[in-house]
Amino acid sequence: MEKPTAEALLSSAREQTGLSDFGDGEMFRQDFDRFMSALDIDRVPASRRDMCRTYLLNLLMNRLWFEKDVREHPDIADEQLLPPVAIVSLPRAGTTKLQRILGETDHFQNLLYWQTHNFARIPGEPDGGKAIRFKKAVDFLAWLEKEEPNFLQTHPMVADEVEEEFLLMESSFRSLMLSSAFPVLDYSKWIASADLVPSYRYLARQLQYIQWQFRHDGGITKPWLLKSPGMLGYESQLLQAFPQGMKMICPHRAPEEVMPSTAGTAQYTQFFHHRPGSK
């Protein structure tokens, strides 16, 4: 498989959706081009290259469907987000357990994994294509269990259970998660010091959009329950995207226990990297 180019992926997304507006104008294109220029396809195992392309194409198609809905339903921008609750700490400090415990209460709006994988409605499909979107998430998790079972042992993921918004933010293409999952050295160097306010603002728009979908199904507006260790150190940027305020929960675990656990887990988040034993 030759290295997929930025223009080839964009063209494919346009062709498959019949749409052309990815949103965010020049900023999106610059960030996407930066990511694609850095992508080293030779470091992606041959068995994972098709999924690598499919994954990126899916992010682009969700952007296109999102912008279509926003244009056709301007009331999405009027959705009022209550001050979210965000769990922010070092990795491997019990944040996932805490999020899932709080998610079992009736006090928060949860972000489910299938919504992070396919947040946008599919035009022309019944119920916005919810069944198709859910199946895509299930299929990807099945692929992940086959290719990277150690990751799901350290961080179990289920399509209809609560998950991190960090995965949702990949669609912005200004994402720390993308720098971990893909071999993109130059992009990783750039994102480490990049301004993430645009990415968090995109997240706020995504949450408005998902809340709009949820309320159309008869749901009641509640504070979103967010969680990502990747937000640690970016609190001031995060708050710029949520001017209504945010409550933060900061669990603690001794750093000498956190670091070995984090290092062990980090290697398994590199879904599209070649490592010893990869084919």
Side-chain angles (χ1 to χ4, degrees), residues 89-107:
S89 80
L90 289 170
R92 313 302 292 169
T95 55
T96 297
K97 289 183 178 179
L98 177 58
Q99 182 191 30
R100 292 176 181 177
I101 290 171
L102 292 177
E104 289 297 315
T105 72
D106 195 38
H107 301 299

Side-chain angles (χ1 to χ4, degrees), residues 72-267:
E72 295 179 355
H73 302 278
D75 53 316
I76 292 173
D78 296 330
E79 285 290 326
Q80 297 298 310
L81 299 179
L82 297 175
V85 172
I87 303 171
V88 183
S89 80
L90 289 170
R92 313 302 292 169
T95 55
T96 297
K97 289 183 178 179
L98 177 58
Q99 182 191 30
R100 292 176 181 177
I101 290 171
L102 292 177
E104 289 297 315
T105 72
D106 195 38
H107 301 299
F108 305 103
Q109 176 60 41
N110 293 319
L111 183 64
L112 306 181
Y113 175 78
W114 73 267
Q115 295 170 321
T116 72
H117 194 72
N118 295 280
F119 72 95
R121 301 193 309 168
I122 303 175
E125 293 292 338
D127 202 18
K130 187 178 294 185
I132 297 173
R133 293 154 63 192
F134 186 83
K135 185 178 185 303
K136 283 185 176 183
V138 170
D139 290 347
F140 178 74
L141 290 178
W143 176 86
L144 193 59
E145 184 174 19
K146 174 178 176 289
E147 291 287 335
E148 202 64 84
N150 290 318
F151 174 74
L152 292 181
Q153 289 176 10
T154 59
H155 183 86
M157 299 167 73
V158 180
D160 59 354
E161 292 188 3
V162 62
E163 196 44 72
E164 297 184 19
E165 72 286 347
F166 232 42
L167 297 171
L168 185 63
M169 293 169 64
E170 289 180 334
S171 298
S172 72
F173 282 94
R174 186 174 284 230
S175 162
L176 292 166
M177 185 63 194
L178 287 179
S179 71
S180 172
F182 293 84
V184 282
L185 181 58
D186 288 343
Y187 178 88
S188 298
K189 292 177 180 178
W190 168 75
I191 198 69
S193 59
D195 179 8
L196 294 187
V197 172
S199 183
Y200 288 128
R201 285 180 175 152
Y202 193 75
L203 170 64
R205 292 182 64 220
Q206 289 173 299
L207 294 178
Q208 284 181 303
Y209 179 45
I210 297 172
Q211 180 173 288
W212 175 82
Q213 296 176 53
F214 176 77
R215 287 202 314 102
H216 275 250
D217 289 339
I220 300 172
T221 301
K222 301 176 184 178
W224 282 96
L225 177 62
L226 308 178
K227 187 276 290 189
S228 179
M231 293 189 293
L232 185 66
Y234 293 92
E235 294 87 350
S236 62
Q237 296 187 36
L238 181 64
L239 288 171
Q240 290 183 55
F242 293 91
Q244 69 273 43
M246 174 177 288
K247 298 177 181 178
M248 294 189 184
I249 302 174
C250 302
H252 178 71
R253 183 183 177 191
E256 61 268 24
E257 297 176 0
V258 165
M259 297 314 295
S261 181
T262 300
T265 302
Q267 62 177 315

Side-chain angles (χ1 to χ4, degrees), residues 19 21 63-73 123:
L19 302 169
D21 182 8
R63 284 191 69 107
L64 289 167
W65 290 328
F66 175 35
E67 294 301 331
K68 178 181 187 297
D69 259 346
V70 169
R71 287 193 306 274
E72 295 179 355
H73 302 278

